[in-house]
Each structure stands twice: as C-alpha cells, then as structure tokens.
Amino acid sequence: TNGTLLDHRAAEFLERNHFRVQLSFDGVAASQNLRANGSFDLLDELLGRLRRDHPELFTRYLTISATVSPETLAHLALSVGYFLENGIRALNLSPDFTCRIIRPNLPDTAMEEAIARIYELSRSHRRRTGRVPVLLFRRWSGRRPPSPAGPICLAGSCESLTGDTDGRLYSCVMFAGSYQELGG
C-alpha cells in the first residue's frame, strides 16, 4: 500500500489480526515527492500515527519498502537515516523495475557509495539498538532469507494481497496497475 487508504479503522483491523503491512515510502521529501508531489507529508504523518496509535502494527508488522531509482539514489542515505530515526524496524530497498529513464551521467560508483553510506548508518544503528532494520544487511541461514514481509511475490500461493491506491487487490505487487501501464 502507499498508505492513502490506511486510516485508523483499517490500521486497527490489520493490527488486531496480525497482518503484515508493506508500506511504499521512498524516504525524505526529495525522494518521495518524485513519486507524488506532497506525498511525503502524508506518509510522515501516517508513520507518526501508526507509531502512536498502533504500536504493535508499527513495531512487529510494518515493513517500509523504498523504491530505489536513479533519481532517488542521491537521497538514499538520507532516506535510510530518516527511517532509522523514526523507529522503522524493517526496511526493504527495492529497485525500480518500471524505470524507463536512464541517466547517462550517473557515476558508476553512485550505487556503491550509497550502499556504503547506508551500511555505516546501519552498523551504527545496530551498535545503539541491537537491531538491523535494513533487510539487505540482515544475516540469514538456510536457503531463503527470512523477512518480516515475506517474499515480495506470493502470486501463486494465495497467502498475500497487494492493495492498490484505487482499492483493488492483486495477488502480487507487480500486477498493481496504479503505477504502470499493463499490457492488454
């Protein structure tokens, strides 16, 4: 979800029934507002409400999913810092699969530098709190890494639903139509 339909009543239901919620939120205003102008303030307020009014949902069942694109990469470390400061316990960084704009002037090292900065933020956070919220830095054993949000796509399993901004439900986030033009 992008949070637009996540009001008090919906959050209460999700918390009471132990739903895992993955909230699309790209980070600081410079990144988030690229997706939808003015959406940062709405999501920042939503995080505050969830933390205050639905602490179990916030701490146990909420995962933030930030989409990383060439345009948001410059703000990635600031965005991760923002989420850590706001008590986010599970942060998923996802590549923008729909990105059609390639910036030829993006330095080859931009991604490595951004990852190095968020790694240092994460190490510092772990030393202070004992937690590793950035999912890509969590240790795992076995064949599949554990995740509070589970696998991204469970389309064939009937275990997961994606709520789109228009209220429609999809079996996988990749099928949601609000941010892409699906072929017919």
Side-chain angles (χ1 to χ4, degrees), residues 75-140:
H75 311 289
L76 186 58
L78 287 173
S79 295
V80 169
Y82 163 81
F83 290 127
L84 296 178
E85 289 170 12
N86 279 281
I88 296 302
R89 293 181 181 224
L91 174 60
N92 187 33
L93 301 176
S94 303
D96 183 356
F97 292 114
T98 65
C99 183
R100 293 182 184 96
I101 300 170
I102 298 173
R103 287 175 43 190
N105 59 348
L106 190 65
D108 289 340
T109 59
M111 179 62 83
E112 289 90 359
E113 290 169 4
I115 296 297
R117 287 194 305 267
I118 64 171
Y119 178 74
E120 287 307 317
L121 284 169
S122 297
R123 284 186 63 188
S124 176
H125 183 79
R126 184 175 183 273
R127 281 193 289 267
R128 283 192 322 275
T129 68
R131 293 189 312 270
V132 180
V134 180
L135 300 183
L136 106 105
F137 296 137
R138 287 189 180 171
R139 286 188 183 167
W140 58 279

Side-chain angles (χ1 to χ4, degrees), residues 2-129:
N2 68 358
T4 58
L5 301 177
L6 194 53
D7 60 13
H8 177 75
R9 185 173 166 209
E12 189 174 66
F13 174 83
L14 295 169
E15 183 176 46
R16 182 175 58 248
N17 291 286
H18 307 261
F19 275 83
R20 287 179 275 168
V21 175
Q22 184 165 300
L23 179 69
S24 294
F25 189 176
D26 294 343
V28 295
S31 289
Q32 178 58 38
N33 289 338
L34 289 171
R35 181 181 300 266
N37 197 25
S39 60
F40 172 81
D41 292 335
L42 178 125
L43 291 171
D44 183 56
E45 182 182 319
L46 174 63
L47 283 186
R49 279 197 329 264
L50 291 176
R51 187 175 42 250
R52 180 187 67 242
D53 300 338
H54 305 283
E56 186 177 15
L57 176 65
F58 185 85
T59 58
R60 294 188 65 195
Y61 301 112
L62 178 66
T63 298
I64 297 295
S65 183
T67 302
V68 180
S69 70
E71 291 74 27
T72 64
L73 190 58
H75 311 289
L76 186 58
L78 287 173
S79 295
V80 169
Y82 163 81
F83 290 127
L84 296 178
E85 289 170 12
N86 279 281
I88 296 302
R89 293 181 181 224
L91 174 60
N92 187 33
L93 301 176
S94 303
D96 183 356
F97 292 114
T98 65
C99 183
R100 293 182 184 96
I101 300 170
I102 298 173
R103 287 175 43 190
N105 59 348
L106 190 65
D108 289 340
T109 59
M111 179 62 83
E112 289 90 359
E113 290 169 4
I115 296 297
R117 287 194 305 267
I118 64 171
Y119 178 74
E120 287 307 317
L121 284 169
S122 297
R123 284 186 63 188
S124 176
H125 183 79
R126 184 175 183 273
R127 281 193 289 267
R128 283 192 322 275
T129 68

